[in-house]
Amino acid sequence: MTNLSSDSTALRYPTFEDVRAARMRISGIAHRTPVLTSRTANEIAKAALFFKAENMQRAGAFKFRGAYNATAALDAASRKNGVIAFSSGNHAQALAYAARLHGVSATIVMPRDAPAIKVAATQGYGAEVVYYERYTEDREAISRRLAAERGSTLIPPYDHPDIIAGQGTAALELFEEIGAMDVLAVPLGGGGLLAGSALSARALSPGCAVIGVEPEAGNDGQQSLRKGEIVHIPVPKSIADGAITTHVGYHNFPIIKRDVDDVVTVTDAQLVETMRFFAERMKIIVEPTGCLAAAAVLQGLIDCAGKRVGILISGGNIDLATFNTLLSGRRG
């Protein structure tokens, strides 16, 4: 099991065969989420859009796929000593749930300003929550220290080969159900979902353009792709709490650099408009991070006209009070 590292000699890069192996591990455990369509969305984009609804996944987000895959891959000794992760919420919930299903203890390092609904769910699955200050403390350093002290296995939210492989199963299912596509739009935070999706796209629909979408305030992935190396930025501020990262992962950036065609950004206001569209026109609740890819397509930031377009909706974990506040335009 490889911990966070910038030493490329210590890294194990996943392949599409790892994605297929992950699909076997999670089969019958993770939901095979539906693919949704909308005539109105098609008219807006002038394209045929296919929404992979991971907001309907167990624990409310795609993160369950990678978390379960990584936990299932642990040996007996590692399971005995438990797992540790850092997350603002979706990976926290997913790993806590996956650990409980495997009878493994879990400790999650979460920011004090993490959404209350995500903290409550994480604790509800039986995990211990250790808080940190998002803008002044290093969550990775805290997690590494705890893992060393306890002898636990660190399973980070995106910078891990088993996580990447598990996340790639969402796109794998989408291609299996819909067939070849011209464009695949994927939310981008730390890059686990984007890297895994790119592996599936290159194997199953080689001509498909893979586009990552991240918050405008935190475009480290866009900068990294264009510079050809990982760019670190200060902690960004965005309503897309699941994509508030300072850099993409060392395991996933080589895949992104090789297989991703572009990264575009959207504003918080565009995310809110997309949340409203999903609620009013498609009757689903999607959290801001989950709206990243759809926002870029519906706002015309990706060339989609006349094309078949896959869109990953990454999650739906948002409390109703925050949801209502964002849609009403009230910000604290």
Side-chain angles (χ1 to χ4, degrees):
M1 196 65 63
T2 307
N3 286 342
L4 302 175
S5 173
S6 59
D7 179 4
S8 62
T9 63
L11 304 184
R12 172 171 65 86
Y13 301 114
T15 67
F16 180 62
E17 289 306 310
D18 294 305
V19 178
R20 294 178 65 182
R23 195 259 289 276
M24 294 298 294
R25 286 197 189 102
I26 71 174
S27 178
I29 306 297
H31 295 322
R32 188 180 178 99
T33 52
V35 177
L36 308 179
T37 59
S38 164
R39 180 182 56 80
T40 303
N42 289 350
E43 290 175 352
I44 292 172
K46 296 180 175 57
L49 308 184
F50 303 94
F51 299 90
K52 180 63 169 170
E54 286 294 292
N55 55 317
M56 300 181 187
Q57 185 55 261
R58 296 184 80 166
F62 76 97
K63 292 284 191 179
F64 181 76
R65 296 173 180 272
Y68 191 88
N69 185 52
T71 308
L74 294 174
D75 58 28
S78 297
R79 293 189 185 199
K80 182 178 179 180
N81 292 325
V83 296
I84 288 179
F86 52 86
S87 169
S88 64
N90 282 343
H91 180 63
Q93 295 172 81
L95 188 64
Y97 192 12
R100 189 178 79 171
L101 292 175
H102 284 99
V104 174
S105 64
T107 300
I108 314 295
V109 177
M110 300 186 73
R112 290 191 182 278
D113 63 350
I117 189 174
K118 297 184 178 183
V119 175
T122 301
Q123 294 173 325
Y125 291 134
E128 174 191 358
V129 172
V130 175
Y131 292 105
Y132 77 99
E133 297 295 336
R134 188 192 296 270
Y135 298 104
T136 60
E137 295 184 292
D138 185 339
R139 65 181 188 170
E140 297 180 20
I142 294 170
S143 300
R144 285 194 296 268
R145 175 177 56 79
L146 288 172
E149 291 173 355
R150 302 180 183 188
S152 301
T153 299
L154 177 61
I155 302 180
Y158 52 84
D159 198 3
H160 189 291
D162 294 329
I163 292 290
I164 295 168
Q167 316 308 27
T169 62
L172 168 61
E173 292 175 4
L174 179 60
F175 284 111
E176 285 181 337
E177 184 166 342
I178 302 304
M181 287 178 283
D182 301 303
V183 179
L184 179 67
V186 184
L188 170 58
L193 180 62
L194 180 58
S197 299
L199 290 174
S200 292
R202 291 295 164 252
L204 300 177
S205 185
C208 179
V210 180
I211 311 295
V213 187
E214 61 188 344
E216 183 180 69
N219 71 330
D220 57 290
Q222 184 184 63
Q223 292 184 52
S224 298
L225 184 62
R226 293 178 182 177
K227 191 173 182 180
E229 62 186 47
I230 295 175
V231 172
H232 293 247
I233 64 171
V235 179
K237 294 184 178 181
S238 169
I239 61 172
D241 65 281
I244 297 177
T245 56
T246 60
H247 61 90
V248 295
Y250 296 102
H251 289 87
N252 53 49
F253 181 66
I255 300 170
I256 292 172
K257 182 178 177 181
R258 182 192 68 204
D259 293 338
V260 172
D261 294 276
D262 196 10
V263 174
V264 300
T265 66
V266 296
T267 66
D268 281 2
Q270 289 170 328
L271 292 177
V272 171
E273 285 307 304
T274 306
M275 290 170 62
R276 178 176 288 109
F277 178 86
F278 279 136
E280 293 180 349
R281 304 311 296 261
M282 296 181 67
K283 313 307 178 187
I284 57 174
I285 292 179
V286 182
E287 64 183 287
T289 307
C291 291
L292 283 165
V297 171
L298 295 175
Q299 295 289 334
L301 302 176
I302 300 173
D303 178 18
C304 295
K307 298 178 180 179
R308 290 167 51 84
V309 181
I311 298 171
L312 291 184
I313 300 174
S314 59
N317 291 318
I318 184 171
D319 65 90
L320 291 180
T322 302
F323 184 83
N324 291 333
T325 297
L326 289 173
L327 291 195
S328 67
R330 300 189 303 272
R331 295 287 299 275

